[in-house]
């Protein structure tokens, strides 16, 4: 069965960077887009971007351009999301989520989600 | 402020049918598929509806989706206490070149 297991909670100071990992199992890692979505406390969902694990190609939401970097290590079926220059309003739960269907055309829904990683930014 | 507009709350009694609306524009709902997610308290979201009205394997047929023009709706029939959750609509936005979410609707089962 498809599983996405994320790294543990992080506490960071303003201005620092955080790198969250997402280890995939139960499917062909290189066959599906991996997305990153965040949710601030008590707030809604916000798409940050996606990575094509096959090519390494990325698409980032304009809001995060220049601050976010998504990478992957195909040898261990793991995707990473690094966010730099952290601010207090980056405090949120960060989720990785896999496309429902195989392939790299238009995304067709986020069918599988990781358990989430709480990132707290505080001085 | 979300690009897709949902009512912040909805409610119903067990067995009732409730609908949740989602309003967008020509650059998102008007030209792309709509998706619906359910988020139970303290858990990750779960895909309920894809491509406007399709249910992933395992999602009960009590949940149904529809789309017309630049609006969409999620209907839940035979409401159950375990349906109490936050519901989010989503669609690809051509202007933003990425998916956008509605602000979410908190469903309360009275």
């Amino acid at each position: 069965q498809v599983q996405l297991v994320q790294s543990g909670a992080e506490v960071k100071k303003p201005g620092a960077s955080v790198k969250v990992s997402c280890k995939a199992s139960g499917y062909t890692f290189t066959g599906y887009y991996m997305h990153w979505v965040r949710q601030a406390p008590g707030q809604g969902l916000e798409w940050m971007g996606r990575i094509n694990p096959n090519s390494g190609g990325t698409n980032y939401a304009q809001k995060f351009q220049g601050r976010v970097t998504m990478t992957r290590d195909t040898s261990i079926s793991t995707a990473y999301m690094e966010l730099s220059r952290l601010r207090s309003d980056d405090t949120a739960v960060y989720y990785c989520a896999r496309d429902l269907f195989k392939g790299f055309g238009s995304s067709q829904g986020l069918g599988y989600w990781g358990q989430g990683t709480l990132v707290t930014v505080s001085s | 402020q979300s690009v897709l507009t949902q009512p912040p709350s909805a409610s119903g009694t067990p067995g009732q049918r409730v609908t949740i609306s989602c309003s967008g524009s020509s650059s998102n709902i008007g030209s792309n598929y709509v998706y619906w997610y359910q988020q139970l308290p303290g858990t990750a979201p779960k895909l309920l509806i894809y491509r406007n009205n399709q249910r992933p394997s395992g999602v009960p047929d009590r949940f149904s989706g529809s789309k017309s023009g630049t609006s969409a709706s999620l209907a839940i029939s035979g409401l159950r206490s375990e349906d109490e959750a936050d519901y989010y609509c989503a669609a690809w936005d051509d202007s933003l070149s990425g998916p956008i979410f509605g602000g979410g609707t908190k469903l309360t089962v009275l």
Side-chain angles (χ1 to χ4, degrees):
Chain A
Q1 73 284 19
V2 176
Q3 278 196 306
L4 302 175
V5 179
Q6 299 183 222
S7 49
E10 303 261 13
V11 179
K12 297 292 183 181
K13 292 194 182 303
S17 297
V18 68
K19 190 170 186 177
V20 179
S21 68
C22 172
K23 182 168 179 58
S25 61
Y27 72 98
T28 303
F29 177 68
T30 53
Y32 301 75
Y33 275 121
M34 188 71 79
H35 301 252
W36 290 88
V37 176
R38 77 176 187 179
Q39 185 172 36
Q43 302 300 308
L45 303 170
E46 182 174 34
W47 184 76
M48 300 180 70
R50 67 181 180 181
I51 184 168
N52 175 335
N54 187 48
S55 67
T58 54
N59 303 105
Y60 300 141
Q62 189 171 10
K63 174 178 179 176
F64 299 100
Q65 289 273 4
R67 277 211 307 146
V68 71
T69 304
M70 296 178 188
T71 57
R72 91 293 188 215
D73 184 338
T74 58
S75 68
I76 55 172
S77 300
T78 299
Y80 302 92
M81 185 284 300
E82 183 170 21
L83 189 62
S84 62
R85 303 193 300 279
L86 290 168
R87 307 185 294 254
S88 58
D89 61 358
D90 290 318
T91 294
V93 175
Y94 290 77
Y95 294 101
C96 60
R98 196 207 81 176
D99 250 21
L100 181 61
F101 293 122
K102 192 173 185 178
F104 301 107
S106 55
S107 291
Q108 294 296 337
L110 307 181
Y112 298 89
W113 294 66
Q115 83 276 17
T117 296
L118 175 61
V119 175
T120 303
V121 183
S122 174
S123 54
Chain B
Q1 186 176 359
S2 303
V3 180
L4 301 183
T5 302
Q6 298 180 234
S9 64
S11 63
T13 56
Q16 263 191 334
R17 182 178 187 269
V18 297
T19 61
I20 297 171
S21 62
C22 176
S23 176
S25 68
S26 57
S27 66
N28 41 69
I29 293 178
S31 52
N32 294 290
Y33 290 122
V34 176
Y35 303 84
W36 289 90
Y37 298 88
Q38 176 194 59
Q39 187 175 32
L40 298 170
T43 69
K46 169 189 171 183
L47 181 65
L48 269 187
I49 298 289
Y50 67 97
R51 292 180 184 170
N52 302 334
N53 55 19
Q54 302 299 302
R55 285 185 306 278
S57 172
V59 174
D61 59 6
R62 300 187 298 107
F63 295 90
S64 62
S66 63
K67 170 185 150 178
S68 178
T70 58
S71 294
S73 63
L74 173 72
I76 309 171
S77 60
L79 198 61
R80 304 172 70 160
S81 58
E82 57 260 41
D83 298 333
E84 193 161 280
D86 293 324
Y87 292 84
Y88 294 90
C89 61
W92 188 270
D93 189 281
D94 294 331
S95 300
L96 301 176
S97 296
I100 53 169
F101 292 91
T105 298
K106 183 174 185 60
L107 175 64
T108 300
V109 180
L110 302 169

